[in-house]
């Protein structure tokens, strides 16, 4: 059983979390608000965002306002607009939690030309994190946390956007695994690039969480696998524990470039640990986001 996260005082800390309208994101935001953090919730759906704000505000108390920013992370232009708004409103960010993610459904390419799960689960993370580095650098000791998954063991990084956008090669399961491998490789390369700064970067496998990740578009095979696994799943509150720990505990203030499970560094695949793969992914991401 996972140990409870260290409950630390987060008063005076500004925490931005994506995908905060439900599941692990909402559970994480609620607990960090209880610890005193000024929470900035990034959500896609306005109605769900308002419900989340009320829930987190109740945990935060009346003296600690909770902010909401709306953004569909599947479009990089939206991500850039979000980053500009964050920069305008918050001169300093203490914690960035890249929590948002989707379980892919049918093959979909966005209007900007990216496969939907790749851009939502990885390219948006790459873009938002890099654009918010000035605000993170302004903090005394900032932390970046990105949600990954054990599914990364089955992932690989395609060499080109054309390969990812080939409907004949597409598999929802493969697309998800690839994006989760990208989360870890991105975190490793980011930690390397930030090693002389006060920013740490780590990623998290939250466990098998009953988080409502499945939707009407999820392929039947993936739904069937999910339903079979449901009796063994943990709650969103337990799934949020490692994110909360990494965001707030003094025990990990100087730890960077790790893949955490149950509040401890865990083992990732050999491919996920490859410096060459991490560097290659960074170059691909720069090209596909226009952030070269």
């Amino acid at each position: 059983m996972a140990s409870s996260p260290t409950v630390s005082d987060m008063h005076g800390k500004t925490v931005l979390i994506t995908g905060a309208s439900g599941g692990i994101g909402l559970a994480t935001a609620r607990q960090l608000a209880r610890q005193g953090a000024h929470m900035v919730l990034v959500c896609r759906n306005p109605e769900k965002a308002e419900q989340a704000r009320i829930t987190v505000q109740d945990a935060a108390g009346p003296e600690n306002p909770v902010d909401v920013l709306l953004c569909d992370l599947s479009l990089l232009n939206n991500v850039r607009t979000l980053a500009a708004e964050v920069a305008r409103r918050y001169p300093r960010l203490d914690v960035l939690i890249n929590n948002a993610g989707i379980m892919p459904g049918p093959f979909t390419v966005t209007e900007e030309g990216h496969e939907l799960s790749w851009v939502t689960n990885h390219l948006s993370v790459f873009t938002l994190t890099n654009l918010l580095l000035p605000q993170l650098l302004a903090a005394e000791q900032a932390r970046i946390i990105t949600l990954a998954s054990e599914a990364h063991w089955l992932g690989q990084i395609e060499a080109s956007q054309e390969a990812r956008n080939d409907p004949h090669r597409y598999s929802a399961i493969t697309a998800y695994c690839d994006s989760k491998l990208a989360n870890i490789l991105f975190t490793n390369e980011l930690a390397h690039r930030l090693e002389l700064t006060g920013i740490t970067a780590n990623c998290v496998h939250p466990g098998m969480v009953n988080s409502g990740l499945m939707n009407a578009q999820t392929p039947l095979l993936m739904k069937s696998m999910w339903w079979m696994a449901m009796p063994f799943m943990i709650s969103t509150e337990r799934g949020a524990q490692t994110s909360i720990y990494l965001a707030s505990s003094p025990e990990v203030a100087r730890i960077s470039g790790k893949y955490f499970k149950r509040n401890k560094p865990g083992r990732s695949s050999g491919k996920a640990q490859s410096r060459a793969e991490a560097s290659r992914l960074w170059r691909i991401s720069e090209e596909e986001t226009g952030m070269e």
Side-chain angles (χ1 to χ4, degrees):
M1 178 179 290
S3 60
S4 297
T6 304
V7 177
S8 305
D9 184 7
M10 292 291 286
H11 286 87
K13 305 289 188 181
T14 299
V15 179
L16 186 145
I17 179 169
T18 65
S21 62
I24 297 170
L26 180 57
T28 302
R30 190 167 54 233
Q31 178 57 39
L32 290 174
R34 288 194 188 103
Q35 293 171 216
H38 172 205
M39 296 304 304
V40 182
L41 314 181
V42 177
C43 308
R44 181 174 60 88
N45 181 284
E47 290 76 21
K48 290 183 178 180
E50 177 58 16
Q51 293 171 4
R53 186 197 66 77
I54 293 170
T55 299
V56 178
Q57 187 65 73
D58 183 61
E63 303 303 317
N64 189 9
V66 174
D67 298 334
V68 171
L69 298 174
L70 297 176
C71 184
D72 178 354
L73 297 171
S74 70
L75 295 173
L76 295 181
N77 281 337
N78 291 350
V79 175
R80 295 184 186 99
T81 300
L82 169 65
E85 179 66 9
V86 172
R88 186 184 72 81
R89 295 177 61 170
Y90 311 104
R92 187 195 81 241
L93 279 181
D94 297 279
V95 183
L96 168 62
I97 306 178
N98 293 307
N99 170 84
I102 63 167
M103 186 69 73
F107 176 71
T108 304
V109 174
T110 70
E111 62 189 60
E112 295 176 336
H114 303 291
E115 190 274 314
L116 182 62
S117 60
W118 179 250
V119 65
T120 305
N121 294 355
H122 168 60
L123 292 182
S124 69
V125 172
F126 180 89
T127 303
L128 183 63
T129 302
N130 276 289
L131 289 176
L132 294 184
L133 284 178
Q135 285 67 50
L136 291 159
L137 286 165
E140 183 177 349
Q141 197 277 308
R143 307 181 186 196
I144 300 168
I145 300 142
T146 300
L147 265 71
S149 168
E150 287 286 76
H152 82 272
W153 285 80
L154 301 177
Q156 64 177 2
I157 305 303
E158 295 283 3
S160 68
Q161 187 174 11
E162 289 75 18
R164 271 185 292 280
N165 289 1
D166 183 350
H168 302 292
R169 299 176 58 177
Y170 176 79
S171 157
I173 295 175
T174 297
Y176 181 73
C177 295
D178 293 352
S179 70
K180 295 295 103 179
L181 173 60
N183 291 152
I184 301 176
L185 289 169
F186 162 70
T187 296
N188 292 348
E189 181 66 16
L190 182 66
H192 174 67
R193 289 168 178 253
L194 296 175
E195 63 184 359
L196 298 181
T197 74
I199 304 175
T200 61
N202 293 289
C203 52
V204 174
H205 168 58
M208 285 288 292
V209 181
N210 190 3
S211 60
L213 197 59
M214 297 292 135
N215 56 62
Q217 300 299 314
T218 305
L220 182 58
L221 175 60
M222 294 179 73
K223 284 183 179 178
S224 299
M225 294 169 62
W226 187 268
W227 291 330
M228 287 188 290
M230 281 186 68
F232 308 99
M233 291 183 179
I234 61 176
S235 67
T236 54
E237 286 72 21
R238 284 186 60 195
Q241 285 187 1
T242 304
S243 294
I244 296 163
Y245 176 72
L246 286 173
S248 63
S249 174
E251 298 170 5
V252 291
R254 298 298 174 186
I255 296 177
S256 192
K258 302 297 183 182
Y259 174 61
F260 273 79
K261 298 186 282 187
R262 299 179 181 179
N263 296 354
K264 297 178 181 178
R267 179 169 170 258
S268 59
S269 71
K271 190 172 292 185
Q273 297 174 50
S274 167
R275 283 297 312 279
E277 277 291 283
S279 179
R280 184 172 75 91
L281 173 67
W282 194 278
R283 292 193 301 271
I284 290 170
S285 303
E286 285 180 325
E287 293 170 3
E288 295 188 5
T289 61
M291 295 188 67
E292 297 176 86

